[in-house]
Amino acid sequence: MEKFYITTAIAYTSGKPHIGNMYEIILSDAIARYKRRLGYDVLFQTGTDEHGEKIEIKAKEAGVTPKEYVDNVSKTIKELWDLLDISYDKFVRTTDTNHEKVVANIFKKLYDQGDIYLGEYKGLYCVPCESFFTETQLIDGKCPDCGREVSETCEEAYFFKLSNYTDKLIQYIESHPDFICPVSRKNEMINNFIKPGLQDLCVSRTSFKWGIPVSFNPKHVIYVWIDALANYITNIGYDVDSQSEEFKKYWPADLHVVGKDIIRFHTIYWPIMLMALGLPLPKRVYGHPWLLFHNDKMSKSKGNIMYPDDLVKIFGVDGVRYYCLKEVSFSNDGNITYDLLVDRYNADLANTLGNLLNRTISMANKYFEGSIVSKGITEECDKDLIQMVNNLKDNVGKNMDALNISEAVGSIFEVLKRANKYIDETTPWTLAKEENKDRLMGVLYNILESIRVCAINLSPFLPSTSENILKQLNIKDTTDTFNESNVYESMENVPLFVRIDKNEIEKDI
Ligand code: MSP
């Protein structure tokens, strides 16, 4: 069985994640579930990034130790991931004893072999981003990443000679056209960052304590990005002088899913670390776009944060998953507002999907006491519907391979819309009046079977909805094409998604 190792970025434990952070994990979960359905031996890892000065400061403000602080936030994050039905296989924490030990070993190895050396750092430092900048990199004198004040620092520090690996890195990127996607990002990395020359990277800090100490010079802690990036190998059993069976089986990663803001770390620093360790590079890094609130970045200071658990209370787990997956396309940012959430929930989930199922089961119960079998495919509109149903699997597959998750979900809803249109074309209530029983049963069968195939295809995206539909249809068949020999009987009829009234939810917002 072919393996598929997929990872998300590990979330900072500075605070509770918002719906934007959640997008990435939902997206990765859909991919992991999809691959499992195809029979891949999937390893899906996520986790939390827990060291750094920012956490040290936050913990102090909260009057707790950094460890107490991150234990608490990491737990919240894990609970949110579980709430959203995220099917991760492994959850790594950078404060795990094994991770800390292996990162220290990696640092020592790189030092011993001359990739890391001791020098002195003079520069401008942004605390929240944990990054150094030169004067020219600043924008209006502020941090180019977050726009906050930077401060002048000078400290003894370890440096990583990235430039030793520039040519090898360019060669790898150019000979592996799928490595960085979207492709626009690849050109950006090569032309704006790598070709102008990579400066040696400062990989230790002495200005704070909350990190993994450099084993042979413990007043230094290891730079958080070296620490964090290593999670992808430490947690599956890599160590400098021994590797587990799991590591041998799953490394290199097949897909690192990360946000567009951290592509640079994953396509420059991380591959160079791996080259220095003599390890193969990941096959693909997908830098996904962002989910914005009213087309603006979510932040505590702006007070425009939406939390996933609050949204679940109103829209349910699959309501939230659906919105995120549908809204953010392969390469363009998506937008989230309460209005848009309600509109999409009502139109797609309550109407196109929920109503279709409801109406169809009601008609089956009313006209045939719930027992429906196929009466063959006879008319043009049947053929058209069934062809769409049978093409669905390939449409979803093509889009999933291209990491076009929004289109993949969209293609299922196109079939559901087609099925709704099929009801308008065939008007079952007229067939009932005309006592055209055979045709009426055939029509209902075609709709039920179309819904079943859509439900099967929906399972990676909306797992519990998919299960609910099959349960209501009382059907076990999990094949993903139109089957003429199913029998539908004793179906349940419970609304899948209850329409949401904008005025009613206003008090919850
Ligand atoms: N800890 C680092 C990652 C280290 S990976 C070795 C980090 N953490 S984060 O908590 O700030 O972000 C986690 C992920 O969420 C990142 O991939 C980031 O791009 C993503 N997102 C943060 N805000 C987002 C949106 N508004 N929308 C979509 N993704 C967003 O970076």
Side-chain angles (χ1 to χ4, degrees):
M1 207 190 315
E2 211 179 322
K3 65 93 183 171
F4 188 80
Y5 179 29
I6 174 172
T7 67
T8 69
I10 49 173
Y12 283 131
T13 44
S14 38
K16 180 174 166 177
H18 54 60
I19 188 68
N21 302 114
M22 198 81 220
Y23 165 67
E24 176 172 309
I25 189 89
I26 296 173
L27 171 78
S28 309
D29 182 60
I31 300 171
R33 286 176 184 270
Y34 178 73
K35 288 283 182 185
R36 280 193 204 109
R37 237 179 68 68
L38 292 185
Y40 282 79
D41 175 357
V42 172
L43 184 68
F44 174 22
Q45 173 163 289
T46 182
T48 43
D49 184 357
E50 309 188 1
H51 292 123
E53 188 170 13
K54 192 174 170 185
I55 306 251
E56 196 176 85
I57 294 170
K58 287 236 166 196
K60 202 165 178 196
E61 283 166 6
V64 295
T65 65
K67 185 62 173 44
E68 284 166 343
Y69 189 85
V70 295
D71 279 349
N72 185 31
V73 179
S74 179
K75 182 166 165 273
T76 307
I77 291 177
K78 202 166 184 219
E79 282 165 2
L80 283 176
W81 281 197
D82 291 338
L83 173 69
L84 269 289
D85 264 352
I86 306 302
S87 63
Y88 58 85
D89 301 296
K90 294 197 143 218
F91 190 98
V92 59
R93 299 183 55 187
T94 56
T95 53
D96 289 339
T97 318
N98 176 66
H99 173 83
E100 293 188 341
K101 180 193 89 188
V102 178
V103 169
N105 291 347
I106 290 174
F107 195 93
K108 171 121 190 345
K109 177 179 162 78
L110 299 181
Y111 178 77
D112 289 344
Q113 65 188 34
D115 283 308
I116 287 178
Y117 64 92
L118 186 63
E120 193 177 68
Y121 201 92
K122 278 201 188 77
L124 301 156
Y125 188 62
C126 174
V127 175
C129 296
E130 321 243 8
S131 292
F132 284 106
F133 297 101
T134 59
E135 200 77 53
T136 52
Q137 287 172 321
L138 302 184
I139 298 175
D140 299 328
K142 304 230 166 85
C143 171
D145 287 343
C146 73
R148 277 175 273 214
E149 295 289 340
V150 291
S151 53
E152 206 142 336
T153 42
C154 172
E155 49 179 86
E156 177 193 87
Y158 288 92
F159 289 87
F160 192 155
K161 269 194 232 163
L162 299 180
S163 51
N164 282 353
Y165 296 92
T166 314
D167 293 343
K168 238 177 129 182
L169 180 60
I170 294 178
Q171 211 183 359
Y172 183 84
I173 296 177
E174 284 180 344
S175 60
H176 294 80
D178 284 343
F179 177 52
I180 306 179
C181 68
V183 172
S184 56
R185 295 288 175 175
K186 167 178 141 186
N187 303 332
E188 184 191 341
M189 289 304 125
I190 294 190
N191 299 330
N192 301 3
F193 291 97
I194 309 175
K195 286 212 168 137
L198 293 173
Q199 303 205 345
D200 292 354
L201 177 69
C202 180
V203 289
S204 76
R205 304 286 186 267
T206 49
S207 54
F208 62 94
K209 286 265 151 267
W210 183 239
I212 303 174
V214 172
S215 57
F216 49 93
N217 189 354
K219 71 172 193 276
H220 291 260
V221 294
I222 297 169
Y223 177 41
V224 273
W225 273 101
I226 298 286
D227 168 355
L229 287 164
N231 88 82
Y232 303 127
I233 54 175
T234 60
N235 202 49
I236 59 166
Y238 171 82
D239 202 344
V240 292
D241 47 16
S242 69
Q243 287 91 44
S244 70
E245 285 310 310
E246 186 175 46
F247 177 81
K248 287 179 198 153
K249 176 169 182 193
Y250 289 103
W251 191 258
D254 295 272
L255 182 62
H256 287 315
V257 179
V258 303
K260 58 181 184 177
D261 57 323
I262 57 172
I263 297 181
R264 188 164 41 105
F265 298 91
H266 285 83
T267 58
I268 301 178
Y269 302 160
W270 179 226
I272 289 180
M273 273 173 75
L274 290 165
M275 287 193 269
L277 293 171
L279 293 174
L281 305 195
K283 295 192 190 144
R284 207 173 202 190
V285 176
Y286 173 38
H288 62 73
W290 271 27
L291 184 60
L292 304 173
F293 181 72
H294 285 273
N295 286 314
D296 194 5
K297 211 169 155 170
M298 278 177 233
S299 79
K300 273 214 178 111
S301 50
K302 286 184 191 144
N304 63 358
I305 292 194
M306 277 176 150
Y307 290 109
D309 47 344
D310 293 337
L311 296 180
V312 165
K313 281 183 202 139
I314 306 174
F315 302 97
V317 170
D318 282 355
V320 174
R321 288 177 66 110
Y322 178 70
Y323 189 88
C324 290
L325 292 171
K326 187 75 201 345
E327 176 60 21
V328 184
S329 73
F330 171 66
S331 56
N332 292 320
D333 287 341
N335 187 24
I336 188 166
T337 68
Y338 279 100
D339 260 3
L340 288 173
L341 264 160
V342 175
D343 290 345
R344 181 147 308 151
Y345 177 97
N346 284 342
D348 297 356
L349 297 179
N351 256 355
T352 303
L353 172 58
N355 243 347
L356 174 69
L357 177 68
N358 237 222
R359 283 163 87 187
T360 312
I361 296 180
S362 299
M363 290 190 280
N365 288 343
K366 179 168 165 197
Y367 301 133
F368 298 103
E369 288 167 354
S371 286
I372 307 284
V373 293
S374 173
K375 293 287 174 185
I377 296 151
T378 52
E379 299 192 8
E380 265 322 296
C381 60
D382 304 354
K383 287 183 194 144
D384 190 48
L385 171 68
I386 285 144
Q387 195 180 7
M388 257 185 109
V389 170
N390 282 335
N391 287 341
L392 182 56
K393 173 185 164 183
D394 286 346
N395 267 336
V396 171
K398 202 173 63 203
N399 283 308
M400 291 304 281
D401 288 343
L403 297 174
N404 221 328
I405 316 304
S406 164
E407 292 279 320
V409 187
S411 64
I412 303 170
F413 279 78
E414 285 311 310
V415 178
L416 293 167
K417 277 186 203 149
R418 180 66 191 85
N420 276 298
K421 188 172 152 224
Y422 179 78
I423 297 186
D424 298 337
E425 287 164 347
T426 52
T427 56
W429 46 93
T430 318
L431 296 172
K433 242 186 244 151
E434 293 164 355
E435 302 224 358
N436 194 345
K437 288 263 174 184
D438 260 17
R439 178 64 187 152
L440 177 57
M441 186 176 290
V443 161
L444 293 181
Y445 182 88
N446 293 343
I447 308 168
L448 288 168
E449 191 53 21
S450 304
I451 299 173
R452 184 191 66 80
V453 175
C454 286
I456 296 289
N457 278 286
L458 263 184
S459 68
F461 313 100
L462 312 181
S464 60
T465 299
S466 167
E467 232 174 77
N468 279 342
I469 296 172
L470 297 176
K471 196 166 151 252
Q472 289 197 33
L473 292 177
N474 190 26
I475 193 97
K476 297 266 179 310
D477 180 10
T478 56
T479 54
D480 49 13
T481 47
F482 197 92
N483 180 347
E484 285 209 58
S485 51
N486 275 323
V487 176
Y488 288 92
E489 57 198 349
S490 313
M491 292 180 278
E492 268 177 70
N493 201 357
V494 195
L496 270 188
F497 296 96
V498 181
R499 277 186 75 83
I500 293 174
D501 181 340
K502 274 185 196 166
N503 299 324
E504 293 248 313
I505 66 158
E506 226 144 65
K507 61 180 188 311
D508 297 323
I509 297 174

